Every structure is written in structure tokens, then in C-alpha cells.
Amino acid sequence: MTIDKRKSYYLTIDTETANGLEDPMMYDLGGCIHDKQGNVYETFSFIIYDIFCADRELFNTAYYAEKRPMYEAQIAAGQRKIVSIYTAKRHVKELCEKYNVKAIIAHNARFDYRSTNYTLRYVTKSKSRYFLPYGIPVWDTLKMAQDTICKQKTYIKFCQDNGYMVRGRVRATAEILYRYIKCDNDFVEDHTGLEDVLIEKEIFAKCMAQHKKMRKDVWSK
């Protein structure tokens, strides 16, 4: 495939983790190269050997640990690939270089940023500390949506009508945002890496299509 260098490309990632929320360890990493409109160019679905296989006791602390047979069947069918944390890190770096990625994106990106780093540090005993390539901005579709979609009267009414409110404010989970975008209130998020990435890049595209000022950076207030 010839890469159109006039386009801007983005990498959206999602992690599924074990070990609780404070020190999350990823066992499932999904990723998707796409453009501003959400058109997909490459995907990957990695099961992290160091957590899923080599540390089964740690994996069993995962909220979705009961999905292990599903993962094993998908691995056997070639739908997902078992790789080491080192291979996953190298693949992300090579993809970013290949497409000159403008930003790495996740929904509630601080969590995914933390889980990728904590897993790498755990496996390498802190010899390697940062999973994502240095110098590429990390964007958060949660913040982007809060500044665009969540301010729309139609979204506010959608949340009010369906009970998607917390303390008088609209909720902004990826699942609820995708339900709104696709007009499908029966949609249920898979909570698996690649499948969740494919809905999160749609949230990104919807936010970008608003052409409004918004926070993007993971560290922005």
C-alpha cells in the first residue's frame, strides 16, 4: 500500500488490564491507524504474553478474567496474536514511524498511558520505563468529547432521556458516546482491545468533524 503523505494519520489504542485500577497491567492491546475521518489503514490485536501466559495469577485479577476461553479460541483461530511486551512496543514504534503518526489517541488516555508504562516497568524491572514512542502527542477522546459532543443539546437530551447522568452531568463513556453517534441505544461495548479501538476512533472522527476548539492533550486540564 502506498501511503498518502499529504494525509495526517493517527494511532488509537485501547488496553484491557489486570491488577486493579491503580497499577494496571495490560494483557490485551488493540490498535488502529486511521485518518481524521476515521478511515482505517492498519489494525493489530495483541495479547501480551508476559501477563496473559507467563503470569496467569496476575491475569486472574482482571475484571474480565472470565473471557480467557474466548481469547484462547481467538488466538487459536488467528484472530489475535500473542506477543511479548517488547514486540508490542516495537510494533507501535514502527507503525508510528511508517505513518508519521500525528498523535496517539485513547479514550480516558491517562489510564492507557499508565497501563502501558506500568506493564513495561513490571516486566523489565524498570529497565525500560516508557512504552509509547517519545515525542508523539497523546490525545484523549474523553476530553475532546466533553468539549464538543457533550455540549450539544441533542446529546444532553439523549443522556437525560436514557438515564446517562451522574450528579446532573452527562456521562461520556465510549459506549454511551458511540450509542449516540450511531443512533443505536442497544450497542454494548466488547471490552476487548481492538474492538473498543474501532468505536473510539469513531468518537475521535465525530469530535474532529465539529471543527470546534477542544482540549486534546492527555495532560490538559
Side-chain angles (χ1 to χ4, degrees), residues 15-167:
T15 61
E16 297 300 323
T17 64
N19 203 46
L21 299 178
E22 293 302 313
D23 300 302
M25 303 290 180
M26 68 171 174
Y27 60 84
D28 178 359
L29 172 66
C32 169
I33 294 287
H34 57 89
D35 60 23
K36 189 168 64 174
Q37 290 77 34
N39 299 307
V40 174
Y41 298 90
E42 279 196 46
T43 64
F44 64 85
S45 180
F46 290 157
I47 303 304
I48 305 302
Y49 170 86
D50 312 88
I51 306 300
F52 188 83
C53 300
D55 202 334
R56 184 159 183 161
E57 187 174 325
L58 180 57
F59 171 81
N60 287 339
T61 67
Y63 188 79
Y64 296 108
E66 75 278 2
K67 291 186 176 183
R68 186 179 190 98
M70 177 203 75
Y71 277 113
E72 290 173 340
Q74 291 174 345
I75 291 164
Q79 296 169 323
R80 303 187 196 274
K81 186 177 181 181
I82 296 180
V83 302
S84 71
I85 188 74
Y86 302 101
T87 299
K89 184 177 187 293
R90 183 172 65 250
H91 186 77
V92 167
K93 181 176 183 291
E94 289 172 352
L95 270 184
C96 289
E97 291 172 349
K98 177 180 177 181
Y99 287 92
N100 191 25
V101 161
K102 183 174 180 179
I104 297 172
I105 303 163
H107 197 75
N108 191 19
R110 287 192 186 202
F111 180 81
D112 297 277
Y113 182 81
R114 191 163 72 246
S115 68
T116 54
N117 288 341
Y118 281 3
T119 310
L120 184 66
R121 293 171 191 182
Y122 172 74
V123 172
T124 68
K125 297 180 170 55
S126 286
K127 291 178 182 177
S128 185
R129 297 186 59 78
Y130 296 99
F131 182 87
L132 299 178
Y134 177 78
I136 300 176
V138 179
W139 290 0
D140 188 347
T141 50
L142 174 58
K143 288 185 169 65
M144 294 170 69
Q146 286 171 336
D147 289 351
T148 56
I149 299 170
C150 294
K151 292 183 177 181
Q152 296 173 352
K153 291 180 181 179
T154 50
Y155 185 75
I156 295 169
K157 186 176 188 305
F158 172 77
C159 289
Q160 291 171 337
D161 289 348
N162 290 284
Y164 301 148
M165 307 288 293
V166 177
R167 294 184 292 276

